[in-house]
Amino acid sequence: MRVPEVRLVGPGGEQVGIVRVQDALRLARESDLDLVEVAPNAKPPVAKLMDFGKYKYEAAVKARESRKNQANTVLKEVRFRLKIDTHDYDTKVGHAKRFLSAGDKVKAMIQFRGREQQRPEMGVRLLQRLADDVAEVGAVETTPRVDGRNMVMVIGPLKNKAEARAEARKQQQREKSKAENERKQRVDTSSAESVTQSIGDAFPEELRRAASAPAEKPAAEKPAAEKPAAAKPAARKPAAPSAKPGAPKPGAPKPGGAKPGPAKK
């Protein structure tokens, strides 16, 4: 520095005031910092106490971040035929919406064949229909114009590419957080207890605990007297054979026989 004095700014942005260059250099050496001239055209020039190496590093990081966020707009081309089918037209419109949502411009081109060149108003109506269908994501920048055998119209996006990327990142974050919340709310049934349908589940806990406890053994009782064995019925003797009618009884005298006399002395 070839000036006698400078307006000194401290490392935290505080205003020190106008000091001599020798005093500013002495303060820089004492603080182990660098004296950097930040506004040489001011009167007196403005100098700041800072770590110059750290300042250069932070400036490089900021430049790199700005280049990363800077996106170049790309011109996408979508071609049509004058007699395009409805399904093909819807497919082309879907491509155009995707390009515009990503922040790119769309160049819509209609290719004329043979006598179709004599009907440019049909091409204008088709391009106007396209502009109405993509109005939610893009706006017409260049009106339809004839370019040789083609008709061209340029549609620009409503959001630039940086905004489109930022919105896409936010959408991804929202979807990720939504999926995370659904995962947390999902019930874990891996360790769930089996559910029974018995009526015992409706009983109070005390009754279920009492029922599951082992029953106490009753006091020892005296053995009951043994019952006498039932007497067996006596065996019957076979009945004597019945005498025939008219037959004498045993021991009876035979008829016509001698009567027993008196016993001899």
Side-chain angles (χ1 to χ4, degrees):
M1 296 182 184
R2 299 180 180 180
V3 292
E5 55 187 13
V6 295
R7 185 179 297 276
L8 186 62
V9 180
E14 64 276 9
Q15 296 288 335
V16 179
I18 300 175
V19 297
R20 296 187 305 167
V21 175
Q22 293 80 2
D23 296 337
L25 292 173
R26 179 177 54 79
L27 291 175
R29 285 192 297 268
E30 292 176 356
S31 304
D32 197 14
L33 296 173
D34 301 317
L35 183 63
V36 182
E37 191 177 22
V38 294
N41 296 327
K43 293 183 180 180
V46 180
K48 184 177 181 180
L49 297 174
M50 67 174 68
D51 187 349
F52 190 62
K54 182 178 179 181
Y55 170 77
K56 288 176 64 177
Y57 173 75
E58 292 177 353
V61 170
K62 289 181 180 179
R64 186 163 57 251
E65 290 294 331
S66 63
R67 287 195 301 270
K68 182 187 299 184
N69 295 330
Q70 185 179 6
N72 297 326
T73 302
V74 181
L75 183 63
K76 302 288 187 177
E77 185 174 307
V78 180
R79 297 188 179 186
F80 296 86
R81 292 290 185 183
L82 202 59
K83 298 180 180 180
I84 188 171
D85 186 68
T86 303
H87 177 72
D88 295 338
Y89 173 79
D90 294 339
T91 303
K92 300 285 187 179
V93 170
H95 293 336
K97 286 184 178 180
R98 189 176 73 251
F99 296 149
L100 293 170
S101 300
D104 297 326
K105 293 184 178 182
V106 173
K107 178 181 179 182
M109 178 184 296
I110 296 179
Q111 298 175 331
F112 293 98
R113 288 181 175 179
R115 295 183 181 181
E116 293 178 353
Q117 299 182 31
Q118 301 176 5
R119 304 295 301 273
E121 66 277 4
M122 297 179 65
V124 174
R125 285 199 297 267
L126 181 58
L127 292 178
Q128 185 61 40
R129 177 185 172 189
L130 173 65
D132 295 340
D133 291 339
V134 300
E136 57 183 7
V137 290
V140 177
E141 291 187 356
T142 304
T143 56
R145 58 182 178 83
V146 178
D147 184 11
R149 301 180 61 177
N150 303 325
M151 182 173 288
V152 180
M153 181 181 69
V154 178
I155 304 176
L158 297 180
K159 298 179 181 179
N160 57 30
K161 203 153 191 174
E163 294 176 353
R165 287 183 177 179
E167 186 175 355
R169 285 195 295 267
K170 290 181 181 180
Q171 182 65 22
Q172 291 178 357
Q173 291 177 357
R174 286 194 295 266
E175 293 177 357
K176 185 177 180 180
S177 60
K178 183 179 179 181
E180 185 69 19
N181 293 335
E182 291 179 355
R183 187 185 65 81
K184 289 180 179 179
Q185 293 176 0
R186 192 178 299 120
V187 179
D188 185 12
T189 59
S190 59
S191 60
E193 297 180 357
S194 60
V195 179
T196 60
Q197 299 296 333
S198 63
I199 194 173
D201 294 341
F203 291 166
E205 183 65 24
E206 293 79 4
L207 294 180
R208 291 203 301 269
R209 192 181 303 111
S212 61
E216 297 180 358
K217 294 183 178 180
E221 297 179 356
K222 294 181 179 180
E226 295 181 358
K227 294 181 180 180
K232 295 182 179 180
R236 287 184 178 183
K237 294 182 179 180
S242 60
K244 292 182 179 182
K249 292 183 180 180
K254 293 181 179 181
K259 292 182 179 179
K264 291 179 178 183
K265 293 183 180 180

